[in-house]
């Protein structure tokens, strides 16, 4: 017999309390999973609704993968455009305008071209990954980072490889801190140049030039009568073979005539 002040517990009420406790435990243990599943179904429902809506209106659904690829391509195009601009920029003037007497190495070291190379090296870039551009019957101007007389190579391609292997601060000279990004090769027994040096077969000059995608051209192709009149020993056509190293994707332009063309 229960005391008069107490009433017997309803067994169904106890069962209900137990079920509620189990339900709370289940929800607590699986809360994150339930949220993820709900989010997935809501997203799927939203996708189906948008698909149906676009099918009716003719709009296009954005593909996340395509959008990411487009963004990556746009960023790459912007980087290439910026690099191309740097490879066309000249801030220190034309070195040969007064026979190279005014050249200031520090200006060249601080130039956009030299800074690009320094940042390229710092980021792990290699000279070997740059693209070689060669023009036959042309002489490109630049400052010698490796003296060409008696630096003998068998071909302009071998000369280009020397340029690709050359690194700043390995050869003494006023331009030792600069990289090699241009070169000139003499393929004949003697190559004419309007200077005081005697250039012979195999000479390979390693040079630095600002704006290598828009090089200053000393000579090119068939020499006009006016040029040969100024220089009695000049040939009918340029003997030199020249080239530059450029980042991948940057195109070599026709360049501009340098001061040496009018010497």
């Amino acid at each position: 017999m229960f005391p008069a002040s107490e009433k017997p517990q309803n067994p169904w009420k106890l069962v209900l309390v137990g079920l509620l406790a189990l339900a709370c435990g289940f929800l607590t243990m699986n809360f994150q999973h339930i949220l993820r599943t709900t989010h997935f179904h809501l997203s799927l429902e939203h996708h189906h609704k948008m698909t149906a809506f676009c099918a009716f209106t003719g709009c296009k659904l954005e593909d996340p993968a395509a959008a990411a690829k487009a963004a990556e391509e746009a960023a790459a195009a912007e980087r290439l455009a910026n690099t191309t601009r740097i490879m066309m920029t000249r801030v220190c003037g034309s070195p040969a305008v007064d026979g190279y007497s005014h050249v200031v190495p520090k200006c060249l070291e601080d130039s956009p071209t030299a800074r690009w190379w320094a940042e390229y090296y710092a980021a792990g870039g290699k000279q070997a990954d740059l693209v070689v551009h060669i023009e036959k019957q042309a002489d490109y101007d630049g400052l010698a980072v490796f003296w060409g007389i008696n630096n003998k190579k068998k071909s302009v391609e071998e000369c280009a490889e020397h340029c690709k292997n050359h690194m700043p601060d390995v050869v003494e000279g006023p331009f030792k801190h600069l990289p090699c990004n241009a070169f000139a090769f003499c393929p004949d027994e003697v190559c004419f140049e309007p200077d005081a040096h005697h250039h012979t077969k195999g000479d390979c000059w390693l040079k630095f030039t600002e704006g290598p995608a828009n090089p200053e051209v000393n000579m090119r192709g068939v020499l006009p009568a006016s040029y040969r009149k100024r220089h009695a020993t000049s040939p009918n056509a340029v003997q030199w073979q020249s080239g530059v190293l450029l980042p991948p994707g940057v195109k070599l332009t026709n360049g501009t005539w340098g001061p040496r063309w009018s010497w």
Side-chain angles (χ1 to χ4, degrees):
M1 295 295 292
F2 293 98
S5 60
E6 294 185 10
K7 294 183 180 180
Q9 295 290 330
N10 189 330
W12 292 109
K13 186 175 182 181
L14 294 174
V15 171
L16 180 59
V17 171
L19 289 174
L20 287 174
L22 286 173
C24 289
F26 175 81
L27 289 173
T28 302
M29 296 294 293
N30 296 274
F31 183 70
Q32 293 295 330
H33 174 72
I34 292 170
L35 281 180
R36 286 195 297 268
T37 304
T38 303
H39 176 74
F40 172 76
H41 285 294
L42 288 175
S43 298
L44 190 60
E45 181 183 1
H46 176 73
H47 175 74
H48 287 317
K49 287 182 178 179
M50 287 302 298
T51 301
F53 175 76
C54 283
F56 176 73
T57 62
C59 68
K60 294 182 179 179
L61 285 173
E62 181 179 3
D63 182 353
K69 182 179 180 182
E72 182 179 345
E73 291 175 349
E78 184 177 356
R79 288 193 299 270
L80 178 58
N82 184 55
T83 300
T84 298
R85 178 184 59 78
I86 292 172
M87 293 300 124
M88 297 280 289
T89 300
R90 185 179 296 273
V91 299
C92 298
S94 298
V97 68
D98 55 0
Y100 304 96
S101 62
H102 81 287
V103 175
V104 179
K106 187 65 168 60
C107 181
L108 295 169
E109 292 167 12
D110 293 337
S111 69
T113 302
R115 288 203 306 271
W116 183 92
W117 250 266
E119 292 169 3
Y120 177 70
Y121 292 147
K126 308 295 183 184
Q127 283 281 90
D129 295 330
L130 299 175
V131 180
V132 174
H133 298 261
I134 295 174
E135 181 180 356
K136 304 293 178 69
Q137 288 193 323
D139 177 28
Y140 294 170
D141 196 39
L143 290 309
V145 296
F146 197 101
W147 201 248
I149 294 176
N150 294 324
N151 179 34
K152 301 297 183 182
K153 304 299 176 185
K154 295 179 181 179
S155 66
V156 66
E157 290 79 12
E158 189 175 306
C159 183
E161 281 302 309
H162 189 183
C163 184
K164 292 181 77 170
N165 293 328
H166 179 83
M167 294 296 292
D169 299 310
V170 297
V171 177
E172 288 301 318
F175 310 111
K176 67 178 182 179
H177 299 312
L178 297 170
C180 178
N181 62 10
F183 51 90
F185 173 74
C186 172
D188 294 346
E189 294 303 319
V190 175
C191 288
F192 168 79
E193 188 73 56
D195 61 18
H197 303 295
H198 184 62
H199 306 275
T200 57
K201 187 177 180 67
D203 281 357
C204 170
W205 290 81
L206 305 188
K207 305 178 180 183
F208 170 83
T209 179
E210 287 189 90
N214 188 39
E216 289 196 324
V217 181
N218 296 330
M219 296 181 287
R220 170 181 281 149
V222 176
L223 294 171
S226 58
Y227 189 96
R228 288 185 280 113
K229 185 177 180 180
R230 293 200 310 271
H231 303 284
T233 60
S234 63
N236 290 329
V238 176
Q239 300 156 294
W240 291 92
Q241 300 173 345
S242 291
V244 293
L245 303 184
L246 294 176
V250 177
K251 296 180 179 179
L252 174 63
T253 70
N254 202 41
T256 58
W257 290 115
R260 288 177 72 119
W261 173 245
S262 59
W263 279 12

